Amino acid sequence: MDKASNFDENSEVGYHPSPSNTTVFSPMSRDSFAYCQTWTSSESEIVDDSSYASEPSPSRWKTKKDVLSMKLRKHSIDDKLGDTDLLDSAELELMKERFAKLLLGEDMSGSGKGVCTAVTISNAITNLYATVFGQSLKLEPLKPEKKAMWKREMKVLLSVCEYIQEFAPTAQYLEDGTIVEMMKSRPRSDIYINLPALQKLDAMLIEILDSFQDSEFWYAENIPGNSNRSRGASNRRTVPRKDEKWWLPVPCVLPGGLSDTSKKHLIEKRDCANQIHKAAMAINSNVLAEIDIPENYIDNLPKSGRSSLGESIYHYMNSAEKFSPEQLLDCLKISSEREALELADRVESSMYTWRRKACLSHSKSSWSKVKDLIEETDSKDKNYTLAERAESLLLCLKQRYPELSQTSLDTCKIQYNRDVGKAVLESYSRVLESLAFNVVAWIEDVLYVDKSMRNREV
């Protein structure tokens, strides 16, 4: 029998003799160490750790069959890695930079003066949205590289929520029929409810943009005046948020307007994006409401809500037997979003000023229990009534101006928030709300141009 067959037979019993060389090496011999080192580097490319711990074999060598199987397994792993979308050097360096900023809290000096993790993740999601969607000004699908970047990096940023858990009691049934209550970990309730909903809204918005692959409308910045396509550009609707942005692309349609199928498709997608906008806005409002009010904001509250609102608004809120926030806003005649935001800040600060005064007569003073204090306060208290009317006015103001920017309190909450889960939910819902609002505005621009072209043909 040849040497190869002896090698295979002996390998079945766990004994691995040396190859054809019959020379015996001393365990302390330098040649023996060199020989083993040379063999492992040339023959074995993947090392099985179990061969050291579980087998008392006098040798580390593997059979040719084992080596061949391990080589095939290594090549299969390499093939799988080759099938995936490997990052190029530029994207890899970009991810390294963002990961470093995340760990450093955006403090590149490394001195530990960076912001907390919650603020860093919130800024990372906001900056990623600006990178991917910042240049998107048209109803068209995202570029493949942009879409891949959004999905890949959002998956990484959202993965932190998988480890934010809480303990909840669960019933465990034993074999003898006894019911035992045990504590079991599960995702935190706010993340368990809101995060899947936000991911669904995200996928729906991407799907809406992808549906405009082949459209009957187009965009143009500078079109000759004698061109047929310029007729649609000259009738573009004046949108308040774009008055000063003259560089935005202009939607154009054919002289006959859009077909009924295309128009129906636009209306359906507009209604869908509008619902997504409302859902994202509701989630964002709920998350912001659950974030604790920072002490910094409380210390800077005005001493008098009357002086913060002004005499005219305060007189109407105080003297009216039946308060109507819609009628008050109609009388104010707000002309710009800036005025609406300033009014919202004043109303919100006055509301908390009156709430604080309503709670002064109680022994409790912690702002984390403000809701409990308000419930215990007499509803006939003047400060309580003014605070309730201010809250209804603020809600009406936000409903009338859905594109309103964040108030001073919202900005302060985001800046001083320390809850990572709430930071992820707030920033994710905020960017989706912004994207949905833009999609609705873009669709309405196209529909307005189509309506203008149809009226010209009449």
Side-chain angles (χ1 to χ4, degrees), residues 62-104:
K62 296 290 183 182
T63 64
K64 294 181 179 180
K65 183 177 180 181
D66 295 334
V67 173
L68 179 60
S69 63
M70 286 186 288
K71 285 184 177 181
L72 293 176
R73 183 173 62 184
K74 179 178 182 297
H75 290 309
S76 64
I77 294 175
D78 294 339
D79 293 338
K80 291 180 179 179
L81 292 176
D83 294 337
T84 59
D85 296 330
L86 296 179
L87 299 175
D88 56 15
S89 58
E91 290 184 346
L92 185 59
E93 290 299 324
L94 181 61
M95 293 188 67
K96 286 182 179 179
E97 180 183 356
R98 292 179 177 176
F99 184 68
K101 289 183 178 179
L102 184 66
L103 293 180
L104 293 172

Side-chain angles (χ1 to χ4, degrees), residues 98-138:
R98 292 179 177 176
F99 184 68
K101 289 183 178 179
L102 184 66
L103 293 180
L104 293 172
E106 300 179 358
D107 175 26
M108 308 311 292
S109 66
S111 58
K113 298 180 180 179
V115 297
C116 68
T117 306
V119 179
T120 306
I121 293 182
S122 178
N123 292 339
I125 294 177
T126 305
N127 294 336
L128 176 61
Y129 170 77
T131 302
V132 176
F133 298 97
Q135 300 299 324
S136 298
L137 305 173
K138 306 175 182 178

Side-chain angles (χ1 to χ4, degrees), residues 65-243:
K65 183 177 180 181
D66 295 334
V67 173
L68 179 60
S69 63
M70 286 186 288
K71 285 184 177 181
L72 293 176
R73 183 173 62 184
K74 179 178 182 297
H75 290 309
S76 64
I77 294 175
D78 294 339
D79 293 338
K80 291 180 179 179
L81 292 176
D83 294 337
T84 59
D85 296 330
L86 296 179
L87 299 175
D88 56 15
S89 58
E91 290 184 346
L92 185 59
E93 290 299 324
L94 181 61
M95 293 188 67
K96 286 182 179 179
E97 180 183 356
R98 292 179 177 176
F99 184 68
K101 289 183 178 179
L102 184 66
L103 293 180
L104 293 172
E106 300 179 358
D107 175 26
M108 308 311 292
S109 66
S111 58
K113 298 180 180 179
V115 297
C116 68
T117 306
V119 179
T120 306
I121 293 182
S122 178
N123 292 339
I125 294 177
T126 305
N127 294 336
L128 176 61
Y129 170 77
T131 302
V132 176
F133 298 97
Q135 300 299 324
S136 298
L137 305 173
K138 306 175 182 178
L139 281 176
E140 60 182 7
L142 279 177
K143 295 181 179 180
E145 59 272 16
K146 292 285 188 179
K147 185 188 298 184
M149 176 189 294
W150 173 256
K151 292 183 178 180
R152 180 177 65 247
E153 299 196 18
M154 280 302 299
K155 183 178 181 181
V156 174
L157 293 173
L158 296 178
S159 63
V160 67
C161 294
E162 299 176 3
Y163 303 94
I164 301 177
Q165 299 182 347
E166 62 183 4
F167 285 101
T170 57
Q172 184 72 24
Y173 295 89
L174 303 180
E175 296 181 356
D176 57 356
T178 306
I179 301 177
V180 181
E181 189 179 66
M182 301 180 61
M183 300 298 292
K184 185 178 180 181
S185 62
R186 66 179 184 185
R188 207 170 69 182
S189 57
D190 58 338
I191 296 176
Y192 180 78
I193 295 174
N194 293 320
L195 186 57
L198 291 174
Q199 291 175 322
K200 180 63 176 178
L201 298 179
D202 185 357
M204 293 173 66
L205 284 174
I206 299 298
E207 183 181 355
I208 290 176
L209 293 177
D210 290 340
S211 65
F212 295 100
Q213 181 68 39
D214 299 320
S215 303
E216 297 181 4
F217 58 89
W218 65 94
Y219 290 87
E221 289 78 9
N222 297 317
I223 309 174
N226 56 357
S227 174
N228 291 331
R229 296 184 177 185
S230 65
R231 301 175 64 184
S234 62
N235 291 284
R236 185 168 182 262
R237 180 181 56 171
T238 303
V239 183
R241 65 184 180 87
K242 296 181 180 179
D243 273 343

Side-chain angles (χ1 to χ4, degrees), residues 354-355 357-362 370-388:
W354 286 322
R355 284 185 176 179
K357 289 184 178 181
C359 300
L360 288 179
S361 58
H362 294 75
V370 168
K371 293 182 179 179
D372 295 338
L373 298 179
I374 293 299
E375 291 177 357
E376 296 175 3
T377 306
D378 187 4
S379 59
K380 295 182 180 180
D381 187 2
K382 178 181 178 181
N383 292 317
Y384 176 85
T385 303
L386 289 173
E388 289 294 314

